[in-house]
Amino acid sequence: MSTQQFATNALHAGHDVTINGGTRAVPLYQTTSYVFKNSDHAANLFSLAEPGFIYTRINNPTNDILEQRLATLEGGIGAVVTASGTAAINTTLLTLLRSGDHIVASSSLYGGTYNLLNVTLPRFGITTTFVDPSDPENFQKAAKENTRVFFIESLGNPKLDVLDIKAISTYAKEFKVPLIVDNTVATPSLLNPIQHGADIVIHSLTKYINGNGTSLGGVIIDAGKFDWANGKFPEFTEPSAGYHGLVYHDALKEAAFIAKVRIEGLRDHGAVLSPFNAFQIIQGLETLEIRIKKHSENALALAKWLQEQDQVKWVNYPGLENSEYYELAQQYLPKGQSGVVTFGVEGGFDSAKVIADETTIFSLLANIGDTKSLIIHPASTTHQQLSDEQQEATGVTKDLIRLSVGLEDLEDLKSDLKQAFSKIGKKVLK
Ligand SMILES: *Cc1c(COP(=O)(O)O)cnc(C)c1O
């Protein structure tokens, strides 16, 4: 456990300047492979008798520093970075689950994750029950004999519901399954799910952690607290045919999960992070704490302003006192509630489309967490494949506009929205 504070760790954790020729910046190791000293050395690396680098699909010194840094910031024992947030989720689930297993998940998930669980994984015999997460007991009610994980987002994208992680983790512990928390929207600067009972934390690094919209990435962080020998996870207690009979739980103890993610998950599924992207993400991570503070301030101020506009029917931001998630936000996100705001407009679907089309500072695109402000109308774009019922469950109403509030001047952001609002009547009538 690090004794240093977040801002210090975000700049230094994992990077030893006495190696790597004293480079102050984290060096970029753009290489696929590493020269072995001899065949015995190679044999030792492959059998895990000695630590070291083998091939960049498995590990890389630049990625390694990012992994150590993110594990430190979340309070985990280890991490594996992946090609995207989606790769992090998929690699985690494919490392843990087999055909016939079952997931209990929050219904208010990122659209891509919802599809993975709802459509793609069932093709491989892994099914999911989606539950309304506002009542943590729903996780217990939906758990079955073959349930192997609970999956939630700490701050749902785009529903912005704040989940009671502690309460849900109590049910996960009672049922002896790991709680996986996607902490992308909250970021480790505002919330550390492991402190509240999470076993595995996932991020899309694409969003706030990189923060400038240049690189995709993901991470899987292991709290190192779950008992994989509890009888429900034979792949950790029986010899692994995929790794010369290694018994993960015996050989790697509390690091069994994160080791299996690397040496089987990355090896077999191949969703490795490019070292070049790791290098860029490290630049972003250095300033995460001050950026997310400003994103949160701008978002709260804009949410309050939106509430006063005639064209706006409702505003959802967990930092607003009239939000149904306000109390949970004060408990879990007291330092700020991140940069995503949603609102609905008079005139529903059509008006929402006009606003998304007419803003000029807010860019119309499918991303969040950029330094630049972003806007999208999910019902006509990211969530168009979902049925009306599924849209409702994921929190996407027809009139919903999602803003990712950037770091621009607040008055400029208000002016941009104002001029877009003024186009509503005109455009709809055409
Ligand atoms: C964007 C996002 C993902 C997926 O991440 P990618 O890097 O785009 O694959 C997963 N979860 C949440 C909450 C997200 O916002």
Side-chain angles (χ1 to χ4, degrees):
M1 278 296 140
S2 169
T3 55
Q4 289 173 331
Q5 298 302 307
F6 189 95
T8 312
N9 284 327
L11 290 158
H12 295 282
H15 181 36
D16 180 351
V17 291
T18 66
I19 53 178
N20 301 324
T23 60
R24 182 55 282 179
V26 172
L28 166 57
Y29 284 86
Q30 191 68 23
T31 185
T32 55
S33 34
Y34 308 85
V35 181
F36 305 127
K37 290 175 209 151
N38 50 45
S39 299
D40 285 341
H41 176 223
N44 282 342
L45 295 181
F46 278 103
S47 68
L48 308 178
E50 200 182 315
F53 298 98
I54 298 176
Y55 186 60
T56 285
R57 176 152 36 77
I58 313 293
N59 53 6
N60 170 283
T62 306
N63 291 15
D64 179 59
I65 291 171
L66 179 58
E67 285 163 347
Q68 290 188 48
R69 196 163 289 186
L70 289 165
T72 303
L73 294 175
E74 280 290 17
I77 59 154
V80 167
V81 288
T82 55
S84 66
T86 302
I89 295 168
N90 201 30
T91 304
T92 297
L93 296 175
L94 293 182
T95 299
L96 288 178
L97 306 179
R98 54 168 79 181
S99 178
D101 287 348
H102 175 253
I103 300 167
V104 180
S106 157
S107 59
S108 54
L109 294 178
Y110 174 70
T113 310
Y114 190 86
N115 253 310
L116 171 69
L117 301 186
N118 191 47
V119 180
T120 304
L121 288 181
R123 287 193 358 241
F124 301 93
I126 298 166
T127 54
T128 296
T129 302
F130 294 96
V131 299
D132 172 1
S134 65
D135 182 358
E137 219 183 320
N138 287 341
F139 286 83
Q140 186 192 38
K141 287 183 189 148
K144 305 192 281 194
E145 181 66 40
N146 58 338
T147 302
R148 288 296 174 271
V149 302
F150 287 180
F151 189 99
I152 63 171
E153 286 175 16
S154 50
L155 180 54
N157 177 13
K159 193 169 185 179
L160 301 178
D161 48 340
V162 181
L163 269 62
D164 191 346
I165 303 171
K166 206 167 271 170
I168 297 167
S169 89
T170 306
Y171 291 119
K173 283 177 181 56
E174 200 180 292
F175 206 72
K176 297 195 166 80
V177 295
L179 174 63
I180 305 174
V181 180
D182 179 340
N183 197 33
T184 298
V185 182
T187 82
S189 178
L190 300 176
L191 171 64
N192 294 126
I194 291 171
Q195 285 177 6
H196 303 288
D199 297 293
I200 297 165
V201 176
I202 284 172
H203 286 278
S204 166
L205 304 175
T206 316
K207 313 295 171 52
Y208 290 101
I209 289 180
N210 180 51
N212 49 50
T214 56
S215 306
L216 273 89
V219 67
I220 305 160
I221 299 158
D222 186 356
K225 291 179 181 159
F226 191 79
D227 177 15
W228 301 106
N230 69 12
K232 292 196 170 183
F233 296 89
E235 277 163 83
F236 289 94
T237 51
E238 291 169 7
S240 169
Y243 212 86
H244 48 66
L246 183 77
V247 179
Y248 280 93
H249 181 259
D250 295 349
L252 293 142
K253 308 280 183 291
E254 74 277 5
F257 166 70
I258 202 67
K260 193 171 197 292
V261 164
R262 185 182 307 283
I263 61 184
E264 291 192 19
L266 284 186
R267 186 198 62 190
D268 299 349
H269 304 297
V272 62
L273 182 67
S274 155
F276 184 71
N277 282 13
F279 176 78
Q280 288 188 299
I281 291 163
I282 287 167
Q283 314 312 311
L285 179 55
E286 291 191 346
T287 58
L288 175 65
E289 188 176 51
I290 51 173
R291 280 187 291 108
I292 199 69
K293 185 165 182 277
K294 180 73 175 169
H295 279 294
S296 300
E297 283 168 13
N298 269 0
L300 179 59
L302 202 66
K304 286 182 176 165
W305 176 83
L306 281 167
Q307 284 186 316
E308 292 160 8
Q309 307 309 304
D310 292 341
Q311 298 88 344
V312 174
K313 275 172 79 174
W314 55 266
V315 182
N316 180 21
Y317 183 70
L320 291 173
E321 281 176 37
N322 61 2
S323 159
E324 61 180 296
Y325 307 111
Y326 181 75
E327 249 107 74
L328 282 169
Q330 292 307 302
Q331 183 186 342
Y332 286 99
L333 297 156
K335 288 189 281 184
Q337 297 80 38
S338 196
V340 184
V341 176
T342 60
F343 67 99
V345 278
E346 297 288 351
F349 189 90
D350 292 335
S351 300
K353 263 180 91 173
V354 171
I355 293 168
D357 284 347
E358 292 297 326
T359 49
T360 59
I361 297 175
F362 284 88
S363 303
L364 173 60
L365 55 76
N367 192 18
I368 59 166
D370 197 321
T371 41
K372 281 79 72 182
S373 285
L374 317 173
I375 188 166
I376 199 150
H377 177 221
S380 64
T381 55
T382 52
H383 286 63
Q384 63 169 236
Q385 283 99 336
L386 303 188
S387 68
D388 287 2
E389 228 168 49
Q390 289 167 332
Q391 286 194 359
E392 195 70 39
T394 52
V396 172
T397 50
K398 299 267 179 231
D399 63 341
L400 180 145
I401 293 172
R402 185 186 72 190
L403 301 179
S404 172
V405 182
L407 304 181
E408 297 93 342
D409 185 274
L410 188 60
E411 295 309 312
D412 290 334
L413 296 180
K414 291 178 189 170
S415 303
D416 192 29
L417 287 169
K418 216 171 192 164
Q419 64 79 22
F421 289 158
S422 74
K423 310 270 169 59
I424 288 178
K426 294 163 200 152
K427 292 276 171 177
V428 174
L429 288 177
K430 266 205 276 187

